[in-house]
Amino acid sequence: MSTAPAEGGAPASGSRRTGFMLLTLIVAFVFFWLYRNAPAPESGTGAAPTTGLEGFRDDAWLLPDEAMLGFVEVPAGAFVMGSNPLQDPMAYENERWSAARRQGNPELPAYYIGRYEVTMAQFNVFAAQSGGRAAPRDGAPAYPVTGVTWPEALAYGRWLEEQMRTSPATPRAIREALDSGWRVTLPSEAQWEKAARGVDGRIFPWGSDPGASNANFGGGSPREVTAGACPQCSYGLADMGGNVWEMTNSPLQSYPIDPAAEPALDADALFVMRGGSWADTANNVRAAVRGAVDPGVRNPGIGFRLVISPP
Amino acid sequence: MAETAGSIAGEKVLALPGAAAGGLLLLSLVGRVQGNEVLLASTLGAAAVLLLWLGWQWIGFQRSGEYPGVRILLRPQHYVQALVQSSVFLYWGYYWSPVYDHFWLLGAQLLFAYGFDMLLAWSRKREYLFGFGPFPIIFSINLFLWFRDDWFYLQYLMLAAGFMGKEYVRWMRDGRNVHIFNPSAFALGLFSLALIVTGTTQLTWGQEIASTLTLAPNIYTFLFLAGLVVMYFFSITLVAGMAAISLFVMSALYFALTGVPYFIDSEIPAAVFLGLHLLVTDPSTSPRTPLGKALFGVLYGLGVFGLYTLLGALGAPTFYDKLLCVPLLNLCVIAIDRAVKSIPSESWALMWKRGWNPARANVAHMALWIAVFAGASFAGKTDSRHTGDSVPFWEQACAESLPNACGRLLQLQATYCGDNSAWACNELGAHYREGRITDADAELSLGFFSRACELKSMAACRNLLRTDAMYRPPPGDLDLRLLLREGGLNLMEMPPADLYRRACEHDWQFACEEGSS
């Protein structure tokens, strides 16, 4: 056995220098490797946004290529809200306005609502500039964005509002509305229902016959938002029934709606969603149907559209 | 205590590192390792390194015809320490399951450590002392820091750095060539520094490790009792005891001067209490004289105390405080020994009974330490409920503008928000919107409100919708179950009446009113 004793000696020689250098290299590598893998500052995802999408404007956050960037005005006035089972046998109990009345007639000021559901591409423009507030979604650019939480949908609205306030691409009417305090946000439940059924109390956005449209429901899968063009629908809005459920900013409460009522703060948050999805049957794509969504949920069947609404 | 000795010689010793590598290969078949690609590759890589190095050395031995030696030496300071550390893992892991999930990886690290240490010794033309030496090093490192599965190759590098530091970073002390640094503290110190500088703490379990010890009930008493074993066998009482006493004293002084605890929810954080028993106490890298040991302990206490503030001020995680100061203290050992040389500390330490031998003096020091710990426990400074446990205490302290209170309140609420308390996230959102106790930050505020809203807080969702009003209800039942948890108690199943009683005891006024109504 020719090796030195384990202890007490003074191991010297070049091997110590080599070992020390090796140790230094390991430490330097660890510093370098950790530095390289340190989380990047939150300045967006760096992903290149979609461009050249037909029917959408590259210079206006990929909103629809229309004079009002896809926003449609809904005039002020009253409308019929809720369901009358005598006219609509598919009505659910929670669509009844009150013990005394089957339907209500709330009055709303004018507002703008998106003709289409918000698309993947539009949301991803926001995600890329959001500083990490929202992750980009995978999917075809012109499909409705899904799998976003309720606060992320609101954040998209806030971001778009900031952009529109200062951009020359913003139509004058919208700029003036924003200047006078209007907000880009999710629609209230009443705004959504009025936009869906107009003022004639129809059952479906396209009328009262479930089959009389090219709406996307009854199975299958989601589709591009522009595929749902519906001239006969109220205000010409697309996919108000089917394609994906749409979130609103209204907490789920029993009718009748009281805009001044504050929801209970000690109950779990739950928000109304409307419109049904591609996976639903006809009864769930009616204009008066009320679904509910947990604000933290990401669901492939739930998306949203925006309104520009007075304060 | 006697050490058992024996030896192995000849070509067959090469089977030992081969067995370590083989053990790693076998462990790579275990589901825990197979479950993560990087972890699997790291373990296979560690085995490959050992095998390649062994092959290299085998060629050298074949050429020279001389084979390395292995001497079996079972030192009590290794196996007793390892047993004590194992008991901590077992007890803590009973209340925090990731510890038990980590056991396979502890085994992998031990195998790597044996193989690496053996090959390192042979590369230095030394015989290898085969015993339990790697156990306390591996356990000591893993009691404070381990990398997440996706980064586990860095854990193997950390071990390698520890053993290489022991082998190559040496100096002459009292005429002997000895290693400067406590091997585990050296590795922990270097890697902690790298993690702080690069801001990559989230690649490790460090934060969770530091904060989950207290999930085990009466952890201070447990660590104290475990520490007594080490103190009795290895005379580390002066180091550990003085470190603890200086921390108790400084914490008490700080509280007396400011009205708020220095460490948020303890006099000494449990992980620091663990560190001063099992990390700083390596006899071969600490002073030899009694006064030197006492001074070493006091300096550790001061170091932890100072680093806690320094790290906080730099925005770095404060749990590194106990890790960073050990290598620095190791570097001061010769200076400490020299400084106290002129003082007859041996006789001071034995002043009450001249003629006692060091072992008997150690028992006397232990008796004093037991009295100090008992006193601290009776005064509610160890396992009892701590003043800083209560969020309302910090809210009140912040309202009264006591030093650091608002910062600590934010820190505490950020911890609870991270634990999915919607109330805590909503409160943080409110603070950053108001800009009263911290600078207003609209983006941060919206981020916290969003998080709280996703956790189903209606108040937070309303705060997102309305900027002209602020909704700040008291914590809900689920929040209370998170805010009031301590010492392994499962509050998730606690009846609401008991929960509110407990909340009232923690100064939640609304809960007292709820309970009485």
Side-chain angles (χ1 to χ4, degrees):
Chain A
M1 157 82 223
S2 64
T3 45
E7 291 178 277
S13 86
S15 81
R16 183 172 171 195
R17 269 195 299 277
T18 311
F20 194 84
M21 281 173 60
L22 201 58
L23 173 61
T24 310
L25 277 177
I26 287 177
V27 173
F29 167 77
V30 169
F31 269 84
F32 164 76
W33 194 245
L34 288 175
Y35 177 75
R36 197 166 165 254
N37 288 285
E42 291 185 345
S43 59
T45 62
T50 304
T51 53
L53 197 59
E54 196 179 340
F56 297 90
R57 283 179 55 179
D58 290 349
D59 65 339
W61 318 285
L62 293 174
L63 292 177
D65 188 8
E66 297 177 9
M68 288 291 285
L69 299 178
F71 284 98
V72 176
E73 185 177 8
V74 179
F79 74 104
V80 176
M81 190 167 184
S83 290
N84 181 351
L86 299 176
Q87 295 164 358
D88 177 5
M90 292 183 279
Y92 293 113
E93 182 56 31
N94 71 349
E95 296 163 23
R96 185 184 178 94
W97 191 250
S98 67
R101 294 177 60 195
R102 292 193 168 100
Q103 290 176 298
N105 285 94
E107 185 133 358
L108 293 178
Y111 58 97
Y112 297 97
I113 189 165
R115 185 185 308 281
Y116 306 109
E117 290 154 342
V118 171
T119 66
M120 295 275 184
Q122 288 161 2
F123 188 82
N124 285 347
V125 176
F126 156 65
Q129 297 179 24
S130 72
R133 276 176 292 159
R137 313 300 308 165
D138 288 330
Y143 274 50
V145 65
T146 57
V148 295
T149 65
W150 187 86
E152 284 173 345
L154 276 187
Y156 172 70
R158 277 196 306 272
W159 170 83
L160 187 59
E161 181 182 313
E162 282 168 24
Q163 308 301 309
M164 291 178 119
R165 279 186 189 283
T166 54
S167 170
T170 308
R172 189 173 165 187
I174 292 179
R175 175 86 70 82
E176 285 173 359
L178 294 176
D179 287 346
S180 58
W182 289 35
R183 306 280 310 277
V184 180
T185 187
L186 291 173
S188 69
E189 184 180 12
Q191 284 174 325
W192 193 96
E193 187 166 333
K194 181 177 179 185
R197 71 195 313 188
V199 292
D200 56 9
R202 58 181 68 176
I203 295 171
F204 296 96
W206 52 85
S208 293
D209 176 3
S213 83
N214 70 345
N216 180 24
F217 66 94
S221 58
R223 67 179 180 190
E224 291 189 356
V225 296
T226 45
C230 181
Q232 76 273 31
C233 289
S234 306
Y235 309 106
L237 306 182
D239 287 327
M240 289 297 277
N243 211 20
V244 292
W245 283 95
E246 296 176 14
M247 292 182 270
T248 74
N249 69 19
S250 299
L252 182 64
Q253 290 174 303
S254 299
Y255 282 161
I257 282 177
D258 175 5
E262 289 285 355
L265 296 181
D266 56 353
D268 282 351
L270 207 56
F271 286 87
V272 173
M273 62 177 185
R274 292 300 203 109
S277 79
W278 46 269
D280 286 289
T281 48
N283 56 336
N284 279 346
V285 299
R286 291 175 304 110
V289 160
R290 310 178 76 204
V293 60
D294 177 324
V297 155
R298 297 177 188 280
N299 187 299
I302 303 175
F304 66 99
R305 80 176 67 213
L306 293 176
V307 290
I308 302 174
S309 174
Chain B
M1 247 184 296
E3 295 176 348
T4 312
S7 63
I8 312 170
E11 198 173 0
K12 63 188 174 198
V13 296
L14 297 179
L16 287 172
L24 277 170
L25 291 175
L26 277 178
L27 267 179
S28 68
L29 300 175
V30 170
R32 172 72 182 83
V33 179
Q34 293 265 332
N36 181 289
E37 282 178 12
V38 179
L39 180 58
L40 178 62
S42 306
T43 307
L44 292 174
V49 166
L50 293 184
L51 287 173
L52 285 172
W53 197 3
L54 175 62
W56 175 264
Q57 293 210 359
W58 181 76
I59 292 169
F61 295 139
Q62 286 286 82
R63 280 187 187 150
S64 65
E66 294 176 346
Y67 288 94
V70 169
R71 185 147 54 98
I72 298 169
L73 196 65
L74 307 180
R75 288 179 163 164
Q77 60 261 48
H78 293 156
Y79 61 76
V80 171
Q81 184 127 338
L83 283 172
V84 169
Q85 290 166 325
S86 304
S87 72
V88 176
F89 276 120
L90 287 171
Y91 185 59
W92 171 36
Y94 186 77
Y95 294 97
W96 192 54
S97 62
V99 176
Y100 285 179
D101 294 341
H102 189 60
F103 277 4
W104 285 112
L105 305 186
L106 271 180
Q109 290 175 71
L110 279 169
L111 287 167
F112 177 75
Y114 269 105
F116 191 90
D117 198 20
M118 216 174 291
L119 292 165
L120 192 60
W122 294 342
S123 74
R124 303 276 288 149
K125 310 289 183 206
R126 273 196 298 103
E127 68 176 349
Y128 179 68
L129 295 179
F130 189 92
F132 289 97
F135 272 80
I137 296 175
I138 302 306
F139 285 177
S140 205
I141 287 174
N142 283 266
L143 278 171
F144 298 98
L145 197 67
W146 73 73
F147 281 86
R148 296 185 189 277
D149 289 0
D150 286 342
W151 304 91
F152 207 74
Y153 50 89
L154 294 171
Q155 188 79 11
Y156 290 115
L157 279 179
M158 180 157 62
L159 305 188
F163 284 102
M164 291 171 84
K166 182 173 173 238
E167 190 64 44
Y168 296 119
V169 188
R170 304 173 76 90
W171 60 11
M172 296 302 290
R173 186 176 168 203
D174 299 336
R176 295 180 70 210
N177 184 289
V178 293
H179 56 278
I180 302 174
F181 298 108
N182 171 341
S184 41
F186 175 70
L188 285 168
L190 271 182
F191 276 65
S192 295
L193 195 60
L195 290 162
I196 291 169
V197 169
T198 56
T200 48
T201 298
Q202 76 280 8
L203 307 186
T204 74
W205 284 84
Q207 190 73 64
E208 290 89 341
I209 289 170
S211 60
T212 55
L213 267 175
T214 47
L215 292 179
N218 301 313
I219 188 67
Y220 288 92
T221 306
F222 181 88
L223 293 175
F224 164 74
L225 293 173
L228 286 181
V229 178
V230 188
M231 286 176 175
Y232 178 76
F233 284 113
F234 312 119
S235 303
I236 55 134
T237 315
L238 281 174
V239 176
M242 289 309 290
I245 289 168
S246 54
L247 279 165
F248 274 130
V249 169
M250 284 185 287
S251 285
L253 273 176
Y254 185 88
F255 188 80
L257 289 172
T258 63
V260 292
Y262 183 71
F263 300 108
I264 290 186
D265 56 358
S266 58
E267 298 303 303
I268 305 178
V272 173
F273 200 64
L274 171 67
L276 61 87
H277 281 102
L278 294 178
L279 183 66
V280 74
T281 48
D282 174 14
S284 55
T285 54
S286 48
R288 304 242 160 88
T289 61
L291 191 57
K293 286 179 184 177
L295 187 57
F296 192 76
V298 170
L299 288 174
Y300 180 72
L302 286 171
V304 169
F305 203 79
L307 278 169
Y308 182 78
T309 290
L310 181 65
L311 290 167
L314 293 173
T318 53
F319 74 87
Y320 289 117
D321 54 359
K322 61 195 167 290
L323 307 180
L324 287 175
C325 57
V326 185
L328 296 175
L329 283 174
N330 291 152
L331 276 176
C332 299
V333 162
I334 289 183
I336 293 171
D337 272 342
R338 199 174 293 147
V340 300
K341 208 172 181 179
S342 57
I343 303 168
S345 58
E346 203 69 46
S347 54
W348 283 19
L350 307 174
M351 64 175 72
W352 53 81
K353 183 71 181 175
R354 291 191 185 282
W356 277 9
N357 62 26
R360 202 168 175 193
N362 182 51
V363 173
H365 298 150
M366 284 177 65
L368 271 178
W369 166 235
I370 290 168
V372 168
F373 184 82
S377 297
F378 278 120
K381 304 296 182 190
T382 57
D383 286 311
S384 310
R385 190 162 68 77
H386 189 267
T387 313
D389 281 339
S390 153
V391 176
F393 167 82
W394 289 105
E395 288 178 332
Q396 183 61 32
C398 176
E400 292 171 12
S401 303
L402 296 181
N404 293 330
C406 294
R408 297 286 159 84
L409 176 63
L410 291 173
Q411 198 178 336
L412 205 57
Q413 287 176 338
T415 303
Y416 287 124
C417 176
D419 289 344
N420 291 339
S421 162
W423 172 83
C425 299
N426 189 53
E427 284 294 298
L428 285 168
H431 294 318
Y432 285 106
R433 178 176 282 178
E434 282 179 341
R436 194 170 50 80
I437 70 167
T438 185
D439 292 337
D441 185 327
E443 280 302 314
L444 213 47
S445 166
L446 288 170
F448 282 119
F449 285 141
S450 294
R451 173 100 186 101
C453 176
E454 287 177 356
L455 291 167
K456 302 186 189 182
S457 160
M458 180 56 89
C461 298
R462 300 291 293 161
N463 284 328
L464 280 176
L465 285 171
R466 293 187 58 178
T467 51
D468 58 337
M470 189 84 88
Y471 300 89
R472 297 176 72 173
D477 283 8
L478 182 59
D479 294 305
L480 287 178
R481 292 176 200 281
L482 293 166
L483 297 170
L484 302 174
R485 60 142 197 245
E486 66 184 49
L489 266 181
N490 182 3
L491 300 186
M492 287 301 163
E493 286 155 22
M494 183 176 268
D498 294 347
L499 189 68
Y500 277 78
R501 195 173 309 121
R502 189 179 173 85
C504 181
E505 287 165 10
H506 280 73
D507 303 327
W508 289 102
Q509 202 49 46
F510 83 95
C512 303
E513 290 157 12
E514 193 92 8
S516 61
S517 64

